[in-house]
Amino acid sequence: LSDLKLNIRSKDFTLPGQDIKGFKLATMRLNNLLLKADLVGKKLKVHDFILGDEEAAVRANFKGHINMNQRNFIASTLDLSGEVAFSNDFLEKYAIIKLVMNKFDKKDEFYQIKLSGPLSRPKPSSLR
């Protein structure tokens, strides 16, 4: 790729159920999805990556870039900063999430997170 501009938007985005190493998540209706990004050299500059609305179980907003590995996209590395929030119902159903997320700073109901490392194994850390 030498030129890429993304502008993906949905008002009825649904994330199918997942089984992540034995941790089962039900199908989630997130509603809003917005991804605005463009390729600058070998970096995919992420201007907006927004998931969910006020009704969604999960809401997120991230910005930053992805260092693209065009031969093996899954080996691309992340450098994204943002925030994520969970509905009370979601936190009651998946109480373990609250334990995991408590290590991150919280602003209002949003956990402040930096995602780095390979796309295949992102490493969350605090935004300090």
Side-chain angles (χ1 to χ4, degrees), residues 8-34:
I8 300 170
R9 179 182 308 259
S10 176
K11 295 281 187 190
D12 61 355
F13 183 72
T14 300
L15 190 62
Q18 306 285 314
D19 184 344
I20 304 167
K21 296 186 179 183
F23 184 72
K24 295 182 191 233
L25 288 171
T27 297
M28 288 188 286
R29 185 166 179 84
L30 299 177
N31 302 323
N32 288 343
L33 165 69
L34 174 65

Side-chain angles (χ1 to χ4, degrees), residues 46-107:
V46 178
H47 302 284
D48 290 300
F49 180 58
I50 300 170
L51 283 174
D53 63 9
E54 298 80 28
E55 311 267 319
V58 178
R59 293 184 288 160
N61 182 356
F62 284 90
K63 297 177 190 307
H65 67 269
I66 301 171
N67 294 312
M68 298 283 290
N69 182 330
Q70 293 188 14
R71 293 180 190 216
N72 183 6
F73 183 70
I74 200 78
S76 300
T77 56
L78 300 172
D79 187 3
L80 301 173
S81 298
E83 55 189 13
V84 63
F86 304 95
S87 71
N88 289 332
D89 289 342
F90 184 84
L91 290 174
E92 284 177 24
K93 188 171 183 179
Y94 303 104
I96 189 83
I97 296 290
K98 201 169 193 176
L99 291 173
V100 171
M101 298 306 292
N102 278 338
K103 68 180 179 181
F104 299 107
D105 293 332
K106 199 171 180 185
K107 187 176 180 184

